[in-house]
Amino acid sequence: MAFASFGLDFVPRLHLSNPAALTLIFTTCVGPVIALLLFELLTRRAQQLAPAGCRKLGLRATSNLADQYERKYAGGGPPESNPWKVKSLWIYPVKSCKGIELNRGSVLGTGMEYDRQFSFAQLKSPLQDSPESGKSAYQWQFITQREFPRLARVRTKLWIPDPSSESYSPQAPGVLSGGYLVITFPCVPDGWRGFRSRLSAALVGAEPELSFTVPCNPTPEISAKKGYTIETMKIWGDSPMALDMSIDVPAELKYFLGVGNRVALFRVIQGKERQVFRCAPREAELGWQPVIGFADSYPLNILNLASVRDVGERLKTEIPKLSALRFRPNIIITGPRSYDEDSWKKIRIGAYQYYVSCRATRCKMPNVDQDSAVKHPLEPDRTLRRFRRIDKGATSACLGMQAVPATELGEIRVGDTIHVEEIGDHYYLGK
């Protein structure tokens, strides 16, 4: 017999009719699964609870872009017969990561409030030896979906101070921190943690993820306590001083993104923004110097949905549904015919005026699907280059417009009407 070596001449059996046996099976098999499910549900619920004195920023209803592929947006016409309006508003708290849709928002001199105030960067390998120190010179350089398309799957959530909240207090940690930024990305840890993560996610029909939280706008005291430092971060031709929050970035992020170097999260330091010149209105005209945080070149990007629909129609065999979000705009409008915006120089949205500085030149980043993070090898870049290389002085295709607010504090909301106050020619000016 199989149990002879144990001195047994019989095979032990559990009588399932025995309540004790059923309890044993439940406790050892089903119980841990239920406990894990409850833990996961409670964890997810806790993540949705607002920190004291804060509220979650973003649209709570269905996206205003849910119907963006309908044929009615492929047309357009004069504002007298077809109202020109703001359809959708977006901010991207972390450069190149998923955005947050709004119904309304504040417009600052730097663009939409909270837009591109953070950026991931990698510590590049030595480019040359530093003659001053005799040590190898390393440099933090910003990263985007251009090189690391998986950034498209990094989600952001903002909790911002809310004086109307019953729990609001000027001394609440979330208020002192200027709110919190929560960053979430797909992740399966190694070992038991990975098994638990996969099982927990499967129980609630989700993907295993990892989140981390940083203060949205920490005071110097909070920064010192957290161990943040001020470093130089290279972004295009600029090297602003920025707040290095890398101590809060989990090591798993670099592996998910596929970055070989060390990865850090940087925040714009107020007063250290990058100045905007090129085609932007001058300080003498505005009364203040245009600046940006970690946006590429201008404070605001405006996109006409009719123009996107026209591009999409030209490449629908390659990309059946070309989303406007591939172009990462702040303001998506409807009403004008496709490419009417090409000649705008000054517009009014709602009660506020904007200088339309130039057309937006496009790289290959719109080739990245913003849902899957899969990068198409050719489109829409190839199609755009065939018919939208229209700016003198530029070799890239153009789609959408770059703008500068005429005031340093304004408001914008979905449904605001658009009035064109001045039209003219545009000419691309590089840095």
Side-chain angles (χ1 to χ4, degrees):
M1 299 295 291
F3 289 85
S5 59
F6 294 94
L8 299 175
D9 57 356
F10 64 92
V11 177
R13 291 183 174 86
L14 288 175
H15 297 284
L16 296 182
S17 59
N18 188 327
L22 292 174
T23 302
L24 177 62
I25 293 174
F26 179 86
T27 303
T28 57
C29 299
V30 182
V33 174
I34 293 178
L36 190 59
L37 175 59
L38 289 174
F39 174 79
E40 181 68 17
L41 291 174
L42 290 173
T43 300
R44 290 176 181 268
R45 183 174 182 272
Q47 291 173 347
Q48 296 300 319
L49 294 177
C54 295
R55 66 177 175 87
K56 184 180 176 181
L57 186 66
L59 196 64
R60 296 185 180 182
T62 303
S63 170
N64 291 312
L65 279 182
D67 64 345
Q68 65 168 310
Y69 303 109
E70 292 188 8
R71 292 184 60 83
K72 63 182 178 181
Y73 298 119
E80 298 79 18
S81 60
N82 189 41
W84 294 8
K85 294 184 176 182
V86 173
K87 178 169 179 59
S88 184
L89 295 170
W90 289 81
I91 59 171
Y92 307 89
V94 183
K95 186 177 182 67
S96 247
C97 296
K98 278 196 179 301
I100 297 174
E101 187 175 10
L102 309 176
N103 256 333
R104 62 181 180 179
S106 297
V107 180
L108 312 179
T110 55
M112 295 285 291
E113 187 177 18
Y114 304 111
D115 184 52
R116 295 173 172 96
Q117 294 297 292
F118 294 83
S119 176
F120 286 115
Q122 62 173 326
L123 188 61
K124 296 286 286 188
S125 299
L127 300 178
Q128 60 183 15
D129 289 336
S130 172
E132 292 82 6
S133 64
K135 298 180 180 179
S136 297
Y138 288 80
Q139 186 176 51
W140 287 108
Q141 291 191 10
F142 80 117
I143 62 174
T144 71
Q145 292 180 32
R146 297 171 182 88
E147 309 89 13
F148 304 103
R150 286 189 178 182
L151 280 165
R153 298 196 63 199
V154 177
R155 301 200 321 272
T156 57
K157 178 167 60 178
L158 272 177
W159 295 102
I160 62 172
D162 180 12
S164 68
S165 170
E166 293 182 358
S167 62
Y168 181 84
S169 165
Q171 300 306 312
V175 176
L176 290 173
S177 298
Y180 294 111
L181 171 68
V182 183
I183 299 174
T184 303
F185 61 97
C187 177
V188 180
D190 294 330
W192 162 246
R193 288 177 59 221
F195 172 76
R196 188 187 70 183
S197 177
R198 284 191 294 268
L199 181 57
S200 298
L203 288 172
V204 295
E207 181 180 32
E209 294 178 328
L210 183 63
S211 296
F212 65 100
T213 302
V214 297
C216 192
N217 190 16
T219 62
E221 293 76 19
I222 292 176
S223 295
K225 186 176 180 180
K226 295 277 288 182
Y228 300 155
T229 59
I230 296 176
E231 307 288 346
T232 299
M233 191 197 83
K234 184 174 177 59
I235 174 169
W236 298 118
D238 300 320
S239 296
M241 302 298 292
L243 189 65
D244 179 359
M245 310 172 93
S246 58
I247 196 169
D248 286 334
V249 179
E252 290 88 346
L253 179 63
K254 62 173 286 184
Y255 301 114
F256 168 72
L257 296 177
V259 182
N261 301 311
R262 183 182 165 196
V263 171
L265 178 69
F266 281 86
R267 196 208 185 280
V268 172
I269 297 176
Q270 189 172 2
K272 301 294 184 182
E273 297 92 348
R274 298 147 57 215
Q275 294 186 342
V276 181
F277 297 102
R278 301 168 76 179
C279 299
R282 296 299 182 255
E283 182 177 3
E285 185 176 4
L286 284 176
W288 51 278
Q289 173 60 46
V291 293
I292 52 176
F294 291 139
D296 276 352
S297 51
Y298 290 88
L300 293 164
N301 182 263
I302 301 173
L303 192 63
N304 180 4
L305 190 54
S307 301
V308 179
R309 295 279 63 81
D310 180 75
V311 176
E313 184 65 23
R314 296 168 186 260
L315 51 77
K316 61 183 179 182
T317 56
E318 291 288 337
I319 303 177
K321 291 185 176 181
L322 181 70
S323 172
L325 294 180
R326 283 180 179 250
F327 301 95
R328 302 182 66 78
N330 297 115
I331 305 170
I332 301 174
I333 64 172
T334 58
R337 295 186 180 93
S338 55
Y339 315 117
D340 270 0
E341 67 276 15
D342 282 346
S343 62
W344 295 353
K345 297 288 286 186
K346 193 179 292 184
I347 62 175
R348 186 172 295 275
I349 302 178
Y352 297 92
Q353 191 181 65
Y354 299 83
Y355 290 84
V356 184
S357 299
C358 63
R359 303 181 185 104
T361 53
R362 296 296 177 177
C363 62
K364 294 184 179 182
M365 192 165 132
N367 288 19
V368 179
D369 185 300
Q370 295 301 296
D371 292 322
S372 67
V374 174
K375 187 174 184 177
H376 194 284
L378 297 172
E379 299 292 2
D381 178 69
R382 179 178 62 179
T383 295
L384 284 170
R385 286 178 175 272
R386 285 175 176 170
F387 79 107
R388 290 293 299 171
R389 295 170 71 175
I390 59 175
D391 254 20
K392 295 179 180 179
T395 58
S396 300
C398 299
L399 189 71
M401 307 302 289
Q402 306 280 35
V404 176
T407 60
E408 290 187 276
L409 180 59
E411 293 183 355
I412 190 170
R413 64 181 61 203
V414 170
D416 277 349
T417 56
I418 300 154
H419 299 279
V420 178
E421 298 184 342
E422 183 181 332
I423 61 173
D425 295 329
H426 285 288
Y427 184 89
Y428 176 81
L429 286 177
K431 290 189 177 182

